[in-house]
Amino acid sequence: MVRTGSASVAAGPTLAVVAREAGVSVPTASKVVNGREDVAPETRRRVTEALDRLGYVRRPRFDAAKSSGLVDLVVHSLETSWSGAVLHGVEAAAHDAGLEVVVSAGPNRTRGGRPERGWLDKLTARGSSGVLFNLAELTSSQYGWLDQHRIPYVLIDPVLEPPRGVVSVGAANWQGGVTATEHLLALGHERIAVVAGHQHKMCSSARVAGYRSALAAAGIRQRPEYIRHAGFDESAAHRRTLELLDLPEPPTAVFACSDRMALGVYEALAERGLRVPDDISVMGFDDLPEARWTTPALTTVRQPLSEMAATALRLLVLMMEGDRPESTRTELSTRLVERASTAPPAG
């Protein structure tokens, strides 16, 4: 039985194991299993031999003719450039898979511990073949409902640690925090503050942990007063930055754990008559379009949002076809995008 969410899964090698044995990609192995014609004969032979050698059990194939051909993308908000990047990645991957995407917001609010009835009714009425959740905070009841109805689902950048066995895709947030802090350290900054997101949520805590690790590796004393949480809110980031500037020894650089919060940092600095980066350097995280539009353009850590979304869709298709990813957690790498908002400390 295929495990959707936290249900159980049959024993035996996964398609990823077969692909590794045959020296091909998982999509190529999937094509052979599903009888696709666009595979070279020699490649097909290697995959077939690996299937037989490992005792791979061909699970029931997802049949688009018997399904709605739809997948749901449930996003936290439809009004941000973040959601736009995610939707772009999902749509491109869905087009390649011959699927259509239905986009909706929610279901974060519940009634009696269950997902909102309207969302459930729409999902069941459409007969969606799978669901992608982006930044959604699902309850145990919601996970249970999806498992009970045997609906495959994948989380994109989950806010909280998902239950064991739930498939998710995210970014290397810890390494991104290290990269951001190391960039500022290399410029000569030692008084580096961080304006973080939510204190107990996955991506935020990982970025702050990366910040702490980079400081420790450089032998820089960590100052508790330099860590401020703003919940990924621009106006809260503005307030936290003013608090930092009022410290007896204010920072010379601020690492904002999202580009939107960096905009709040910019606003607070301008309010105090400080220039970026002449008086204080600012780092962001995400590389949303806003990062290029600010003045000066924002140095940031790029999250591959569209790639994360496309990867999640491909994993969902794999589950819809009756297979299972080799790992429940996939992390894509981040990278530094250097622009004009960082410079050596003044003086």
Side-chain angles (χ1 to χ4, degrees):
M1 178 171 54
V2 176
R3 180 173 63 181
T4 58
S6 57
S8 58
V9 62
T14 66
L15 196 59
V17 173
V18 173
R20 186 166 61 245
E21 176 75 10
V24 301
S25 67
V26 172
T28 298
S30 179
K31 288 179 182 179
V32 175
V33 169
N34 293 313
R36 293 271 295 273
E37 299 295 331
D38 51 338
V39 180
E42 173 59 21
T43 301
R44 184 181 302 280
R45 182 190 63 78
R46 295 205 317 272
V47 173
T48 301
E49 289 178 354
L51 290 168
D52 294 338
R53 186 164 58 251
L54 296 172
Y56 179 82
V57 178
R58 290 168 172 80
R59 297 167 176 85
R61 181 184 174 191
F62 168 68
D63 188 350
K66 296 180 180 179
S67 78
S68 63
L70 297 175
V71 293
D72 272 52
L73 170 62
V74 183
V75 297
H76 177 69
S77 170
L78 295 170
E79 300 176 352
T80 65
S81 52
W82 170 289
S83 297
V86 168
L87 179 57
H88 174 76
V90 169
E91 283 188 323
H95 175 77
D96 291 343
L99 296 168
E100 299 292 335
V101 181
V102 178
V103 184
S104 58
N108 289 326
R109 292 175 294 176
T110 62
R111 297 173 181 172
R114 294 177 60 82
E116 290 189 327
R117 187 63 195 173
W119 183 82
L120 289 180
D121 288 342
K122 291 176 182 177
L123 180 66
T124 52
R126 283 193 294 268
S128 294
S129 301
V131 188
L132 297 172
F133 292 100
N134 178 221
L135 293 176
E137 298 182 50
L138 301 180
T139 66
S140 58
S141 295
Q142 291 165 348
Y143 283 119
W145 185 89
L146 290 162
D147 290 337
Q148 179 184 352
H149 289 77
R150 302 173 61 83
I151 298 176
Y153 60 94
V154 177
L155 309 185
I156 305 171
D157 198 22
V159 175
L160 303 174
E161 183 75 32
R164 183 173 179 173
V166 171
V167 177
S168 67
V169 178
N173 288 295
W174 180 86
Q175 185 57 54
V178 170
T179 299
T181 309
E182 286 181 341
H183 171 70
L184 295 170
L185 289 167
L187 290 172
H189 293 278
E190 295 187 0
R191 288 158 34 203
I192 303 170
V194 59
V195 176
H198 299 281
Q199 188 168 359
H200 301 296
K201 295 190 176 177
M202 284 183 63
C203 65
S204 178
S205 60
R207 293 169 197 176
V208 174
Y211 157 84
R212 293 179 186 272
S213 295
L215 290 182
I220 304 298
R221 179 175 66 89
Q222 298 178 40
R223 305 188 186 204
E225 69 272 21
Y226 276 7
I227 300 177
R228 305 281 168 150
H229 293 273
F232 295 112
D233 179 75
E234 185 176 334
S235 60
H238 170 264
R239 296 191 297 272
R240 299 292 89 79
T241 303
L242 293 178
E243 294 169 2
L244 289 168
L245 296 176
D246 288 335
L247 292 172
E249 194 171 24
T252 62
V254 175
F255 166 32
C257 287
S258 78
D259 291 346
R260 289 186 62 82
M261 289 196 298
L263 299 180
V265 175
Y266 269 42
E267 183 182 359
L269 296 177
E271 189 175 303
R272 293 292 179 87
L274 298 173
R275 298 165 300 169
V276 178
D278 302 53
D279 299 311
I280 189 165
S281 290
V282 180
M283 276 284 312
F285 201 109
D286 289 332
D287 196 27
L288 298 176
E290 296 93 308
R292 301 188 296 273
W293 301 340
T294 58
T295 302
L298 181 66
T299 297
T300 189
V301 174
R302 181 180 184 271
Q303 277 202 100
L305 296 176
S306 293
E307 294 91 331
M308 286 160 53
T311 298
L313 190 283
R314 288 191 287 268
L315 290 173
L316 183 64
V317 170
L318 190 69
M319 295 167 68
M320 287 159 50
E321 291 178 340
D323 215 304
R324 183 72 183 169
E326 187 173 35
S327 173
T328 58
R329 174 67 178 179
T330 300
E331 285 195 354
L332 303 189
S333 60
T334 56
R335 67 177 177 86
L336 177 70
V337 180
E338 190 171 356
R339 297 193 178 101
S341 67
T342 53

